[in-house]
């Protein structure tokens, strides 16, 4: 067995149907007395429901979160934080709501109690992202990692079918890349395999029956595992490409992950035999057809499989390949601009990778 380093980052996780109702007790144990609930405008009603459970421990709701955490939204949030003398943050929603709370925590060092409602996994990571002057900066700081996470599958029942699947593929992507991470270790790999198994088996059931709480629970369990993998080991080509495509061409986050994943795995397949073997067991395919199996999964669940379908323009592919290869980063297979340009061509057309 090879030597490895495993570092665990403590977080308290409460998981189960209706556990959101215990949010007050959880905030008390973090010492929060003046919480700000953070959400998007679309999830304001849910944010108000959470405020209701918190009672006088909640001083306000900030329903201003939008994708990619623009600086202007953080400034507005900081004004509210000061005015209401907030001491803790309770984001409820997907990566956008949790992202805004993380940006506020970066400035204030307030503890976060996160209540995720998508499968993006941000709640388990110390990674923050802020968009300023059209550029998205990301970084890692343990300060922004939520101290407590409440996973209540009931809250995911309202996720529309397309976002259920694409967000689930986003979680699978964390697991798939975690298996060939530069700093991979057996504990995180075990979580990654379990995450792929849980998500790939539950998504088809959810699509058939969106209110199936057993399947929803399994997907959310896979989400927790995927988020832990993302927060623990380094990612590679897939996450880099999604960051470039989302940041430079404004493609939707979960859609981009869904389209790119099979192609990134295809690109790396010959250079990551352990990861292919492990993923194939989890997804139920041959080890040399993991990329194809991921493509089939998305296709069978009716979500976009090509960059063209999600709004990418063919004339931007050359530039995207250039941006994605400008700075060196770890990837199991060496990266060069022409190889990435061909990958993007396949992804643009949406051809099954073989
Ligand atoms: P999102 O948070 O942008 O949510 C998409 C939309 O779905 C929003 O309108 C939201 O209100 C709505 N929504 C969320 N949950 C819902 C539910 N249960 N029912 C109905 N509607 C619901 O989407 P996301 O994919 O969760 O997050 C994307 C963002 O998160 C990106 O900016 C991405 O960069 C970031 N992210 C960060 C990390 C990290 O570790 N820092 C990890 C993953 C994603």
């Amino acid at each position: 067995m090879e030597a490895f380093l495993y570092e665990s980052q403590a977080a308290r996780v409460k998981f189960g149907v209706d556990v959101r109702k215990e949010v007050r007790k959880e905030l008390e144990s973090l010492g929060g007395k003046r919480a700000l609930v953070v959400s998007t405008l679309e999830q304001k009603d849910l944010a108000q429901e959470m405020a209701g459970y918190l009672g006088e421990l909640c001083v306000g709701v900030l329903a201003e979160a939008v994708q990619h955490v623009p600086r202007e939204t953080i400034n507005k949030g900081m004004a509210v934080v000061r005015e209401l003398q907030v001491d803790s943050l309770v984001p409820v929603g997907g990566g956008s709501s949790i992202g805004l709370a993380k940006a506020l925590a970066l400035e204030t060092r307030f503890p976060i109690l996160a209540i995720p409602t998508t499968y993006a996994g941000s709640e388990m990571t110390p990674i923050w992202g802020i968009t300023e002057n059209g550029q998205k900066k990301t970084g890692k700081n343990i300060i922004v990692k939520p101290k407590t996470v409440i996973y209540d599958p009931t809250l995911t029942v309202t996720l529309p079918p397309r976002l259920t699947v694409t967000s689930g593929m986003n979680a699978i992507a964390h697991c798939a890349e975690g298996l060939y991470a530069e700093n991979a270790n057996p504990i995180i790999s075990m979580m990654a395999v379990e995450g792929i198994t849980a998500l790939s088996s539950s998504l088809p059931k959810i699509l058939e029956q969106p209110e199936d709480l057993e399947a929803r629970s399994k997907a959310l369990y896979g989400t927790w595992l995927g988020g832990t993998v993302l927060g623990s080991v380094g990612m590679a080509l897939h996450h880099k490409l999604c960051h470039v495509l989302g940041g430079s061409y404004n493609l939707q986050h979960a859609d981009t992950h869904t389209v790119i994943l099979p192609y990134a795995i295809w690109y790396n397949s010959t250079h990551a035999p352990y990861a292919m073997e492990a993923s194939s067991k989890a997804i139920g395919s041959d080890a040399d057809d993991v990329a194809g199996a991921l493509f089939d999964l998305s296709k069978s669940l009716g979500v976009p499989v090509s960059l063209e379908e999600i709004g990418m323009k063919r004339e931007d592919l050359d530039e995207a390949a250039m941006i994605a290869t400008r700075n060196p980063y770890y990837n199991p297979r060496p990266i060069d601009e022409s190889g990435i340009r061909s990958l993007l061509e396949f992804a643009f057309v949406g051809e099954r990778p073989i």
Side-chain angles (χ1 to χ4, degrees), residues 40 43 94-96 117-118 120 122 125 127 136 155 158-159 163 253:
T40 58
Q43 288 181 291
S96 298
T117 66
T118 70
S122 176
T125 83
I127 305 164
K136 188 166 179 180
L155 299 180
T158 50
L159 261 182
L163 189 55
H253 175 82

Side-chain angles (χ1 to χ4, degrees), residues 27-28 30-37 54 56-60 77 80-90 101 104-105 108-113 147:
L27 185 72
E28 275 169 354
L30 281 181
K33 293 191 174 68
R34 300 185 62 80
L36 181 67
V37 177
L54 288 165
E56 78 284 2
L57 297 188
C58 173
V59 291
V80 173
V81 161
R82 281 189 286 266
E83 189 195 326
L84 300 178
Q85 296 177 18
V86 168
D87 70 0
S88 45
L89 300 158
V90 180
L104 296 174
T108 61
R109 306 178 77 88
F110 293 157
I112 298 179
L113 187 169
K147 304 274 182 292

Side-chain angles (χ1 to χ4, degrees), residues 238-256:
H238 169 78
H239 282 75
K240 174 72 181 183
L241 278 178
C242 292
H243 184 81
V244 168
L245 295 171
S248 305
Y249 307 100
N250 205 24
L251 303 187
Q252 205 269 347
H253 175 82
D255 279 354
T256 314

